[in-house]
Amino acid sequence: MATRDSLATQPSEGEVLISVVLPVYQVQEFLPECLDSLLGAAQSFGGVEVVAVDDCSPDGSGALLDEYAARDSRLSVVHLPENVGLGRARGEGLARAKGDYVWFVDSDDRLTTGALAAVAERLRQTAPDVLLVDHGLINPDGSVQRNVRAHLFRDAPETFTLGERPSTLDLIMTAWSRVLRRDFLLGLDLDFGHGYYEDISVTYPTLLAARRISMLDRVCYHYRRGREGAITNTSSPKHFDLFGQYERIFAFIDQETTTAEPFRKAVFDRTVRHAATVLATPGLVPRNLRRDFFLRAAEHFRRFRPSDYTYPSGLRGLQYRLVERGAYPAYAALEPVNRLRLALRTALGRARGAARRTSRLAATALRRAYYRACLRLPADDTLAVYAAYWNRGYACNPAAIYEKARELAPGIRGVWVVARDRTASVPPGVEYVVEGTPRCLRTMARARYLVNNVNFPYELAKRRGAVLVQTQHGTPLKKMGTDLRDHPVAARGMNFDRLVEQCGRWNVLVSPNPHTTEVFTRVYPGGYEVLETGYPRVDRLVNASLDEVNRVRGELGIAPGQIAVLYAPTHRDHQDETASVLDVQRFADQLGDDHVLLVRSHYFDLPRTSSSRGVVDVSTHPSIEDLCIASDVLITDYSSVMFDYAVLDRPIVIYAPDWEAYRRSRGVYLDLLAEGPGAVATTQEALVEVFRSGEHTGPRAAERLAGFRDRFCPHDDGRAAERVVRSVFLGESADSNSLTPARG
């Protein structure tokens, strides 16, 4: 039996943590997408096997399985000589599974990007009997809708029992929505039932018997609904199978009285609700069998009703009373009322949504009209508007330029645009306006200068004669701009025509080095000038004094003599949700008490770390520059912070466990593993060894860092912001060789 300690490390080569059991029947259209989601570049976790069971499928599904298996040894295929049904096919796969955990996946569905790694991490952290994963619904039009009960995942403790969180029974009871410890499942001696609804005869009992349950607040699974042939979309007498499956569940409760008996009432209520839902859903139970289905539900109700059962209130309670009495004519008479109530509720929800959308559109149109009117006001030649990271606050290159302009061009009044919930981050004495307000629109319309590290809103075109300074916010390692046309996952529906139009508004592009100039002038076409000055934000790193370093370290709680390691991973566009690729607490423990790990999540990602022993969560710290000067070592993957940090001449370690997947999905300009600024690790064990061996401070790492710094930091002398201010605001010539014409 697997224990928590035995799951605390990545599986060795050949070891299997997760067995995916994949029953296959007549899904040729959807099978390649499913297999690619399990075995392709979307998954970076290696300790997985897929046991596919071809249930004598009459289409080409079996041949597809063999084709994939020939290319990937992690996939094994079982061809059954006759069709045995979904339940028995799952049993055949389970009998051949070798993993510590088993995940029953439907072959017309798919896993989300990074799901296996996220699930594996959660299993290692919690060693549960049952891990529940969240899901999204694939609509017939291809759109994906989040599970309506997603809120149940958000505040769940790390592990719990059903008695501690009985609301868990409100979640969908499908086999694919949970990952089960294999020894635990086999020890219960359960079989998937035959016919329809076969999975509930396993999903209910495992939840009732589990002593450790965990929930992963992440969409790991996409379920395809409304597919032709699915039982939820098929009229058939097999819907009567529902009652036999619940009979097996109550038989389990009768046997497992200690753990399961307290939930008899809750399971019974789910039984009646399930039967009523099947009967009320048009097109499921054939019309000539509806009365028989109802009478079977009535018999089931009387047979399994707990002695302490009380009816729910309202219309549902009335329906249940009629079910118990077998009063089909009265129940049938209520069905139009119930359908009308549901239709009204749906219509009301849609009407409210339409009203909200109409209100938002009207407000947007009003803001545009007001902004266009403000463009008719006189320009203010002494006004500069600043923004950064989509108005997230005072930061990056625009902040460095603003501060230097206050010193060298005091006649220029700087005003920041910030989101309403970020105003507290603006330093004292810095003037700001809240995005979208009339004052903001009026200020932007009149400004002579506009400075941003991303684009300003498309609908707020700059006035004629204004100067727009685009600073960007990093040296490009990953593909950017128009180069993303060949990388649709990263582009995520980007409007390239609009992008090119916005580039046409730029007057000045600030570049840190020749590499960036070459890339940006190609992927962001326009008639702007390039100021290759170095990045203004890097001045802070170059000019930091020892007193400043000690002050920041003290504020962060870094003890004298401690080695501060800054871990700053980037956002991964190729994942639906970001799964952590580093077990930060385990890594901090492995580093030892003489180290402290500062963890900085990307601003696109929710922090997944909390401060604990040897770990300080600095995700919300207002200044990445402060974190850089306070740290002794940087660990990053594909973040542009490495190009800034290089000027400090301190060790940089590249931790790139999913480099191949990232390179394929996002596209890159550099081979980071060959051209990076220091030691490289692709597994957590290798990362630990880099530090234990001292490789990160060795001569080879120093040589790589020196070459990297020469290539990407040629202008970083602490005067980049000054060069920008003198050129843009004072009209002076910048330092020699800093003005480069852009390519159109």
Side-chain angles (χ1 to χ4, degrees):
M1 180 180 296
T3 66
R4 183 168 185 171
D5 290 339
S6 69
L7 298 175
T9 59
Q10 278 271 10
S12 302
E13 185 177 355
E15 293 182 353
V16 177
L17 177 63
I18 302 171
S19 292
V20 173
V21 173
L22 190 73
V24 176
Y25 183 78
Q26 211 159 337
V27 288
Q28 180 177 350
E29 177 184 356
F30 307 105
L31 186 57
E33 182 180 10
C34 177
L35 292 171
D36 288 342
S37 79
L38 291 166
L39 299 168
Q43 308 298 338
S44 59
F45 177 71
V48 64
E49 66 168 1
V50 178
V51 182
V53 181
D54 171 19
D55 191 14
C56 200
S57 185
D59 61 2
S61 295
L64 271 173
L65 290 174
D66 291 338
E67 180 184 331
Y68 271 79
R71 299 198 304 261
D72 197 319
S73 62
R74 294 173 297 170
L75 172 62
S76 60
V77 183
V78 180
H79 295 285
L80 300 182
E82 60 181 1
N83 179 255
V84 298
L86 183 56
R88 286 183 58 186
R90 285 191 176 128
E92 292 287 346
L94 176 61
R96 294 164 172 80
K98 303 181 183 68
D100 293 320
Y101 284 85
V102 61
W103 192 351
F104 298 98
V105 171
D106 286 356
S107 50
D108 56 343
D109 298 334
R110 68 192 183 208
L111 298 194
T112 61
T113 302
L116 286 173
V119 166
E121 179 184 16
R122 190 67 171 177
L123 295 176
R124 290 194 296 265
Q125 289 174 345
T126 61
D129 296 323
V130 179
L131 173 64
L132 301 165
V133 299
D134 202 3
H135 69 279
L137 302 172
I138 308 175
N139 295 314
D141 64 0
S143 62
V144 178
Q145 176 183 340
R146 183 79 185 261
N147 167 28
V148 296
R149 292 186 173 84
H151 61 279
L152 294 176
F153 288 82
R154 292 176 191 142
D155 60 349
E158 190 174 72
T159 60
F160 56 90
T161 64
L162 191 58
E164 293 167 337
R165 282 181 65 87
S167 63
T168 306
L169 280 173
D170 291 332
L171 292 169
I172 191 169
M173 287 291 167
T174 56
W176 49 257
S177 62
R178 59 211 61 218
V179 182
L180 305 171
R181 186 163 60 80
R182 186 167 62 92
D183 287 347
F184 163 72
L185 174 59
L186 295 175
L188 294 177
D189 195 26
L190 297 169
D191 290 322
F192 285 99
H194 302 306
Y196 280 12
Y197 309 105
E198 83 299 328
D199 46 0
I200 63 174
S201 58
V202 168
T203 54
Y204 271 102
T206 51
L207 204 57
L208 295 170
R211 296 185 178 181
R212 289 175 66 88
I213 302 171
S214 187
M215 299 175 77
L216 179 57
D217 183 16
R218 184 189 195 278
V219 174
C220 295
Y221 194 95
H222 282 165
Y223 169 73
R224 195 180 305 277
R225 67 177 179 183
R227 179 178 70 83
E228 184 177 352
I231 68 170
T232 54
N233 199 38
T234 302
S235 176
S236 172
K238 292 184 178 181
H239 289 288
F240 280 80
D241 296 344
L242 176 74
F243 302 108
Q245 312 297 7
Y246 275 107
E247 287 172 4
R248 300 179 71 193
I249 296 169
F250 284 112
F252 180 85
I253 294 176
D254 291 338
Q255 295 173 2
E256 302 290 333
T257 55
T258 302
T259 58
E261 181 62 34
F263 306 102
R264 183 185 294 271
K265 182 177 176 181
V267 173
F268 175 79
D269 190 68
R270 285 291 302 265
T271 302
V272 184
R273 210 186 323 165
H274 197 167
T277 300
V278 171
L279 189 60
T281 302
L284 293 188
V285 179
R287 183 176 295 275
N288 65 320
L289 296 177
R290 291 177 62 78
R291 181 185 181 90
D292 292 342
F293 188 93
F294 175 85
L295 294 177
R296 181 69 184 276
E299 185 274 331
H300 192 88
F301 191 109
R302 292 189 292 268
R303 178 181 172 190
F304 293 107
R305 174 183 173 176
S307 58
D308 61 344
Y309 183 75
T310 55
Y311 292 103
S313 60
L315 179 61
R316 190 153 63 96
L318 176 58
Q319 287 179 308
Y320 286 14
R321 286 181 170 87
L322 295 175
V323 170
E324 183 179 26
R325 296 170 187 171
Y328 181 68
Y331 185 92
L334 278 178
E335 284 193 311
V337 177
N338 190 40
R339 285 197 294 269
L340 178 60
R341 179 177 63 87
L342 293 174
L344 286 173
R345 180 185 298 173
T346 302
L348 181 60
R350 288 175 178 170
R352 287 172 176 166
R356 286 193 294 268
R357 288 192 295 273
T358 301
S359 177
R360 288 195 295 268
L361 289 172
T364 299
L366 185 61
R367 283 195 296 269
R368 288 177 179 174
Y370 181 76
Y371 180 77
R372 286 195 296 269
C374 290
L375 289 175
R376 299 174 182 270
L377 297 173
D380 185 344
D381 291 338
T382 66
L383 177 60
V385 168
Y386 295 84
Y389 297 121
W390 300 274
N391 305 328
R392 282 186 170 87
Y394 182 89
C396 195
N397 293 313
I401 295 171
Y402 169 85
E403 290 169 6
K404 185 57 67 172
R406 293 179 73 175
E407 173 190 337
L408 299 180
I412 301 296
R413 170 183 161 225
V415 180
W416 278 78
V417 178
V418 293
R420 189 174 299 278
D421 61 346
R422 299 300 181 100
T423 57
S425 68
V426 180
V430 175
E431 185 180 353
Y432 68 87
V433 292
V434 175
E435 65 175 342
T437 61
R439 184 183 173 207
C440 171
L441 298 172
R442 188 168 59 251
T443 302
M444 288 186 61
R446 298 192 62 203
R448 167 68 171 170
Y449 304 100
L450 300 164
V451 184
N452 206 334
N453 69 354
V454 296
N455 277 317
F456 284 99
Y458 172 77
E459 62 272 13
L460 303 182
K462 69 171 184 176
R463 73 181 302 134
R464 183 174 299 176
V467 177
L468 197 161
V469 180
Q470 171 60 252
T471 74
Q472 289 292 340
H473 50 277
T475 292
L477 165 67
K478 60 190 177 186
K479 292 293 180 72
M480 304 290 289
T482 56
D483 276 354
L484 290 179
R485 285 193 174 103
D486 297 328
H487 297 275
V489 172
R492 292 184 179 271
M494 179 182 292
N495 185 328
F496 290 101
D497 291 337
R498 179 172 290 187
L499 171 66
V500 172
E501 185 179 343
Q502 289 198 297
C503 294
R505 299 176 182 177
W506 302 353
N507 298 98
V508 174
L509 172 67
V510 177
S511 172
N513 50 55
H515 163 77
T516 301
T517 299
E518 189 279 323
V519 171
F520 280 178
T521 55
R522 175 170 49 81
V523 303
Y524 297 123
Y528 49 81
E529 288 185 312
V530 176
L531 287 178
E532 194 178 287
T533 59
Y535 264 160
R537 68 185 185 187
V538 178
D539 293 350
R540 172 90 172 99
L541 308 186
V542 176
N543 298 325
S545 66
L546 182 59
D547 288 342
E548 287 179 286
V549 172
N550 290 333
R551 174 184 60 78
V552 177
R553 287 174 67 92
E555 292 172 352
L556 294 172
I558 303 170
Q562 264 191 321
I563 299 173
V565 179
L566 175 60
Y567 174 49
T570 194
H571 175 69
R572 285 158 165 75
D573 304 273
H574 63 289
Q575 294 180 351
D576 298 298
E577 292 186 21
T578 299
S580 176
V581 295
L582 178 67
D583 185 337
V584 295
Q585 185 58 69
R586 185 160 64 94
F587 181 60
D589 292 342
Q590 291 167 323
L591 286 177
D593 293 339
D594 58 337
H595 289 69
V596 60
L597 187 63
L598 310 177
V599 181
R600 173 78 166 194
S601 299
H602 190 274
Y603 52 84
F604 278 170
D605 303 321
L606 292 175
R608 295 180 177 268
T609 303
S610 56
S611 297
S612 55
R613 182 185 66 257
V615 178
V616 180
D617 178 20
V618 292
S619 299
T620 59
H621 194 282
S623 171
I624 181 65
E625 290 78 27
D626 276 2
L627 300 178
C628 288
I629 66 171
S631 61
D632 301 291
V633 184
L634 171 68
I635 300 175
T636 188
D637 39 30
Y638 323 119
S639 171
S640 65
V641 71
M642 72 178 78
F643 298 94
D644 296 2
Y645 199 88
V647 306
L648 294 171
D649 202 25
R650 300 174 190 172
I652 301 174
V653 178
I654 301 300
Y655 177 54
D658 55 349
W659 167 245
E660 290 302 326
Y662 186 87
R663 180 167 64 174
R664 283 194 301 269
S665 63
R666 178 69 204 222
V668 295
Y669 298 114
L670 307 173
D671 183 349
L672 185 61
L673 272 57
E675 303 174 73
V680 175
T682 57
T683 67
Q684 182 153 338
E685 289 67 31
L687 181 63
V688 173
E689 184 58 28
V690 164
F691 280 82
R692 286 178 175 168
S693 67
E695 179 186 351
H696 63 302
T697 59
R700 174 58 179 150
E703 180 183 349
R704 286 170 63 103
L705 177 58
F708 189 86
R709 181 174 177 174
D710 288 344
R711 181 179 179 185
F712 296 109
C713 308
H715 307 299
D716 291 323
D717 58 359
R719 298 182 57 213
E722 178 182 347
R723 286 191 282 272
V724 174
V725 169
R726 291 192 180 280
S727 176
V728 173
F729 296 116
L730 300 180
E732 300 177 4
S733 176
D735 287 356
S736 60
N737 300 320
S738 66
L739 282 172
T740 306
R743 290 194 297 234

